[in-house]
Amino acid sequence: MKPFLAIDAGASNLKVALFEPQENGTLILAHYEVVSLELRGLEETDRTDLLKEKLQELFDRNEIRPKGMQANICAPSFQCFTKFLRTPAVEGSKVGQIVQYEAASQVPFPLDEMEWGYEIMGTADTGELDVMLMALKEEVVESLTTACNDLGIILSVMDGAPAALRNAYMHNYAEVQGCSMLLDIGSKTTNVIFIEGDGFFIRSVNFGANSITQEFAKESGLDWAQAEEYKKAYGYVHMTNMEEPADAYQAILVRTARNVMTRLHQQVSQTIQYYRSQQGGQTPQQIYLAGGGSSLHYTAEFFMEKFNLPIEFFNPFRNIEVGQGVDKQTLSTNAHWLGELSGLGLRMTTVGLTEFNLLPKHERISLQIEKRSLYVVAAVFCVGLVFFAQAIMNIKIVSTQSAAAEEIKGEFSQVASLAGQISDGTIRLGKAKESSAKMERALESRYYWINLINGIQGVLSKVEPGVYIVTQPNELAAITNRVDELIAQYEVNNGAKPGNVTNVQTAIWIQSLGPNMPTITVAGSGGSGGSGMGGGNAEPGMGGGNAEPGMGGPPPGGGMGGPPGGGMGGSSGGQALSTAPLEPIDTIYLKLRAKNIVNPKPRETLNREYSQLLEKLFREHEMFSNSETDTKVTSGGFNVDSDVKWFDFVLQLKLTSPIIMKDPELN
C-alpha cells in the first residue's frame, strides 16, 4: 500500500503527516511537520495561496513528491459549523429529510452555499436519534481543494477538525470507561468534546490562545507579532500561590493568561452543565488536554485546580506505530496538538469511525471514476502484454520458417481486435462518466422541492405582516418596500414631504401551485370555488373549508391549499403536480389570496400595487427569472370595495432551473 498524507489546515499552523499503511491494517507515522501560518493564517480571507505556498515549501524541504499522492484534509474548527440534533426514530431516508429541514433553519448560511453532511451517533434514552450535523462554506472547501489539486495531490476525504479528534480518541483510548472530556484549545476556537461509550457531543467556544495574545498586545502596547513571540518565550498561567514576576511585560502577560483561562473555565463549566441536563450525559471523570493552546505552562495545573479532576495531555499516537525517522522524544512533547492528523490517518485503514466527507460531490465521483479507470487500464495493459509477447514469438518463428507468415497475420488481427476492445472500453467509460453526471444531477434534485417551497415562503414573508401606503396615491407609489428612499426622492423633486405614510397590516395565502394557469373567481367575502390541499369544510389547519384565520387560511374559505374543493393542484383550471407530464416544467403558476387593503379608503390600485410588489420580489429571487415577461402577475380580481374581505390573483413564475419530473435514462 502506498504512503499517503494527512493535512490539518489549522488557524495558526499547518500540520502535515506522512503515513505508511500496512497490509495488516495498521499505520506507521513516517514523518510529521508543523509550519506556522503566522498572522496571515488568522485572516478571514481566501487562504488558498498561503496554504499552497507553505505546503510546497514543506514538500521541497523534505524531498516529498506530492503529485499523485492521496491525502485526507480537515478544515479548522473556526470554519466548521457543528450542530447536534435529535430526530424521531424513523427510516434512514426520512432522517435525511428531517435533518435537511433542521439544517435549513439552524445553519447560519443558505444550504446551497454549504457542503454539509450528517451522521447518526446513537439513540437517546427517549428513543430519539442523536444526529451530528457538520457543514463548511463552499469557499472554504474550494480553497482547500484548489491548494491541494494545484500541487497534484489527490484528495480522498475532507473532514472537520472535531470529527477527526473524535476518531483519534476512539482509536487510542477505546478501553477508557465512563465519561471523558477532551479539551482542545486552539488558536481561535476551543472544542469541548464529551465521549461516553459510543456517545459523542461537542461544543465550540469562540476564543482560544490568540485571545491571550490580543489582550496582552493591547495592555502592553506591543504589536501582535511581538506579543505572540513574547508569549511563546515567557508566558504561563499564573497560579494563586505564585509571586508576580518582576518584569512588567511578563507580569501583564501571566495575569492576562489567567484571566482568559478563567473565562474559558466558566464556558467549559456551563457546557458540562448543559451536557448533563440537556443531553443526559454524566459528569466527566477525566480530562484530556489537546491543541496548541494547552501547551502554555501551568495550563494543566490550572484546570486540575478548577475542576478537581485527573488531567493528562492527549496522546493521539498511543496505538499508532511511530517510524524510525521520527524523533520520539519531540513527538511526546508535541503529540497532544496533533490529534487531527491521527484521526485523518485512521480514515484510510480503520472502520467504525465518524465518516464525514465534505468534498464536493463532483470531486468524490471523479475520484471513484479515476480509481476504476486505473483497474481498466491495468487490465488492458496486461492483456496487451500477453498479445505483444505472442507477437514477438511469432516474429522469431518467421525468421526461420516462412510458412508461419499466415500465422503472424492472424496474430496482428488479434491485436487489432484488442485495439477495438480498448476503443469500446473507452466509449463505455465515457458513458459511465455521463451516467455519473446524470446521477449527480438526480441526487441534487432531491432537495429541489424543499428549496422551491422555502424560496416561495421567503418571498411571501417579505410582504407580511405589513406594508407602507400613502393617503394620496398621486404623491408616491402606494405600496413599496423602499418607503424611506422614495420619500427622500419626493422631497428632492417637490421641496416638501409627501402626505401621511401609513403601515398597513396585510395577509396572504397560497391557494394553488401548479404547471397550468388556474382560473380566477370574482373576489368576495366568502370562500367558494377553487381547490386546495385538503378541501371540504375542514377545521382550522392546512386543509380548506370554513377555517378560522391562521395556518388553515382566510375565513371562510381555503387553507394553504385554498377554499373548499379538491387536492393540491390549484383551482378548477389548474393541473396537479402529481399528474404533471414527464417533460421538464419551467413555468409554474402561483394562485394567491390576499387581504383587501381598504386603508385609508377602498382603492383598487392598492391591491394591484401589492401584487406588483410581490411580483418584483419574485423577480429578484435567484430561483426565478428576472424578466418582466417571464415572472409577472397574469390575472387578478382587483375590483373590490370595503365589503370585500379578500382578492385573488395569479403569479406566473419562470424557474431558472426547470423541474425534472422524471429522467427516463435513469430507469
Side-chain angles (χ1 to χ4, degrees):
M1 301 178 69
K2 294 183 178 180
F4 66 91
L5 297 167
I7 304 172
D8 175 16
S12 296
N13 297 289
L14 174 67
K15 303 163 208 169
V16 180
L18 180 66
F19 287 100
E20 296 176 351
Q22 306 301 297
E23 292 186 358
N24 62 1
T26 61
L27 278 179
I28 295 178
L29 175 64
H31 182 77
Y32 80 93
E33 191 164 340
V34 180
V35 179
S36 175
L37 298 179
E38 303 160 348
L39 187 59
R40 295 163 61 193
L42 302 173
E43 298 174 357
E44 300 286 348
T45 57
D46 186 4
R47 305 198 306 164
T48 306
D49 293 338
L50 174 63
L51 293 175
K52 188 164 62 175
E53 172 193 326
K54 296 297 183 180
L55 281 171
Q56 186 65 68
E57 291 175 358
L58 185 150
F59 294 144
D60 292 343
R61 188 165 51 252
N62 295 280
E63 298 182 351
I64 296 173
R65 297 180 179 178
K67 188 174 182 178
M69 293 187 71
Q70 284 191 283
N72 295 343
I73 194 169
C74 72
S77 295
F78 80 93
Q79 292 181 328
C80 292
F81 178 85
T82 307
K83 187 74 175 180
F84 283 83
L85 311 171
R86 280 190 172 170
T87 71
V90 296
E91 299 178 357
S93 61
K94 295 182 179 179
V95 172
Q97 296 174 5
I98 295 173
V99 172
Q100 177 162 2
Y101 177 80
E102 292 291 335
S105 61
Q106 299 199 39
V107 174
F109 304 99
L111 286 187
D112 58 2
E113 298 177 5
M114 311 286 288
E115 292 290 343
W116 65 281
Y118 73 92
E119 283 203 26
I120 299 174
M121 307 302 297
T123 304
D125 294 337
T126 60
E128 297 174 300
L129 300 178
D130 285 324
V131 179
M132 180 181 177
L133 170 72
M134 183 174 291
L136 293 173
K137 295 189 73 174
E138 283 185 346
E139 54 258 39
V140 174
V141 175
E142 185 66 25
S143 174
L144 296 175
T145 303
T146 302
C148 292
N149 289 348
D150 287 354
L151 296 175
I153 299 171
I154 302 172
L155 285 182
S156 298
V157 170
M158 183 173 294
D159 209 342
L165 280 172
R166 189 255 186 182
N167 289 341
Y169 178 92
M170 296 299 292
H171 181 78
N172 291 283
Y173 293 85
E175 78 282 359
V176 176
Q177 302 295 313
C179 178
S180 299
M181 185 175 76
L182 190 62
L183 187 59
D184 174 45
I185 307 174
S187 298
K188 297 185 67 172
T189 306
T190 296
N191 293 314
V192 187
I193 303 173
F194 298 90
I195 302 170
E196 188 172 352
D198 293 332
F200 176 61
F201 179 78
I202 180 173
R203 181 194 173 213
S204 294
V205 180
N206 290 327
F207 64 85
N210 283 346
S211 299
I212 299 174
T213 305
Q214 292 168 351
E215 294 187 18
F216 172 54
K218 182 179 179 180
E219 291 290 329
S220 64
L222 301 174
D223 61 35
W224 195 94
Q226 292 173 324
E228 178 69 10
E229 288 300 317
Y230 195 92
K231 182 187 74 173
K232 291 178 179 179
Y234 304 107
Y236 62 87
V237 182
H238 191 265
M239 305 293 290
T240 54
N241 59 349
M242 294 180 177
E243 294 184 0
E244 189 170 285
D247 182 83
Y249 280 133
Q250 192 176 21
I252 297 172
L253 174 59
V254 301
R255 187 168 59 250
T256 299
R258 181 176 180 86
N259 291 338
V260 171
M261 290 300 180
T262 299
R263 296 201 302 273
L264 179 58
H265 164 256
Q266 293 170 349
Q267 291 288 328
V268 174
S269 297
Q270 292 172 9
T271 302
I272 293 174
Q273 292 298 320
Y274 178 86
Y275 176 68
R276 293 184 60 197
S277 62
Q278 301 299 317
Q279 299 295 317
Q282 301 297 314
T283 301
Q285 299 176 9
Q286 57 273 317
I287 298 175
Y288 298 94
L289 290 180
S294 63
S295 300
L296 198 65
H297 294 305
Y298 298 111
T299 299
E301 290 81 358
F302 173 83
F303 284 112
M304 187 178 297
E305 178 185 280
K306 290 293 185 180
F307 289 111
N308 194 28
L309 289 171
I311 292 182
E312 64 180 86
F313 285 96
F314 180 52
N315 181 7
F317 301 103
R318 198 164 175 243
N319 291 334
I320 294 177
E321 185 178 348
V322 179
Q324 295 182 353
V326 177
D327 187 332
K328 294 181 175 61
Q329 184 173 356
T330 304
L331 179 63
S332 66
T333 303
N334 300 332
H336 63 281
W337 55 310
L338 304 175
E340 291 88 346
L341 293 181
S342 171
L344 290 170
L346 291 166
R347 289 288 299 273
M348 287 292 196
T349 60
T350 309
V351 297
L353 303 176
T354 306
E355 296 184 346
F356 285 99
N357 193 352
L358 301 181
L359 279 176
K361 295 182 181 66
H362 64 86
E363 290 280 346
R364 282 178 273 165
I365 293 174
S366 297
L367 181 63
Q368 292 299 317
I369 292 175
E370 186 171 347
K371 288 180 178 178
R372 294 176 183 176
S373 299
L374 291 175
Y375 290 119
V376 173
V377 171
V380 172
F381 181 73
C382 291
V383 174
L385 284 178
V386 172
F387 282 102
F388 182 74
Q390 187 68 42
I392 293 297
M393 183 181 296
N394 288 334
I395 291 173
K396 291 181 179 180
I397 294 173
V398 165
S399 65
T400 58
Q401 298 180 357
S402 60
E406 294 297 324
E407 233 179 288
I408 294 174
K409 292 180 181 180
E411 297 296 339
F412 275 112
S413 70
Q414 292 182 34
V415 174
S417 176
L418 176 61
Q421 294 176 29
I422 294 173
S423 178
D424 292 341
T426 303
I427 294 173
R428 288 195 297 272
L429 180 60
K431 290 181 178 179
K433 290 182 178 180
E434 184 179 349
S435 179
S436 296
K438 291 179 179 179
M439 185 61 70
E440 182 181 355
R441 290 195 301 271
L443 291 173
E444 291 174 349
S445 67
R446 293 182 302 168
Y447 307 122
Y448 186 90
W449 284 106
I450 297 175
N451 295 334
L452 177 60
I453 298 301
N454 287 340
I456 294 174
Q457 181 187 16
V459 173
L460 294 180
S461 66
K462 293 182 179 180
V463 296
E464 188 174 339
V467 298
Y468 287 93
I469 67 170
V470 298
T471 58
Q472 302 179 36
N474 294 329
E475 290 187 346
L476 195 66
I479 301 179
T480 178
N481 61 341
R482 300 184 297 116
V483 170
D484 294 338
E485 181 182 332
L486 291 174
I487 289 176
Q489 186 62 45
Y490 182 89
E491 284 191 81
V492 172
N493 296 336
N494 298 277
K497 291 186 178 182
N500 184 42
V501 179
T502 307
N503 180 266
V504 175
Q505 296 300 305
T506 61
I508 190 165
W509 291 263
I510 298 175
Q511 288 199 284
S512 68
L513 172 65
N516 292 343
M517 178 68 183
T519 59
I520 286 289
T521 58
V522 178
S525 61
S528 61
S531 59
M533 184 189 291
N537 295 320
E539 294 298 318
M542 290 190 71
N546 297 317
E548 295 297 320
M551 195 169 184
M560 184 175 179
M568 183 177 181
S571 58
S572 58
Q575 180 181 347
L577 289 181
S578 60
T579 61
L582 296 182
E583 291 76 13
I585 298 174
D586 62 358
T587 301
I588 60 174
Y589 295 89
L590 187 64
K591 182 179 177 182
L592 299 166
R593 171 165 290 186
K595 179 182 176 183
N596 182 22
I597 303 173
V598 295
N599 186 339
K601 62 182 180 178
R603 191 164 73 235
E604 178 186 346
T605 57
L606 293 181
N607 293 339
R608 186 178 301 279
E609 291 174 9
Y610 180 77
S611 69
Q612 291 171 348
L613 170 62
L614 194 61
E615 171 193 340
K616 173 180 176 294
L617 294 175
F618 271 107
R619 286 202 301 272
E620 293 173 351
H621 196 280
E622 62 183 5
M623 296 190 72
F624 308 102
S625 170
N626 59 7
S627 170
E628 295 184 5
T629 59
D630 293 333
T631 299
K632 59 184 178 179
V633 176
T634 60
S635 64
F638 301 120
N639 296 319
V640 298
D641 56 43
S642 59
D643 295 327
V644 176
K645 297 181 179 179
W646 319 105
F647 69 95
D648 297 345
F649 63 97
V650 176
L651 276 167
Q652 173 185 313
L653 306 177
K654 180 69 173 293
L655 302 172
T656 53
S657 298
I659 303 170
I660 308 298
M661 300 302 296
K662 188 176 182 181
D663 191 343
E665 298 184 29
L666 294 178
N667 287 344

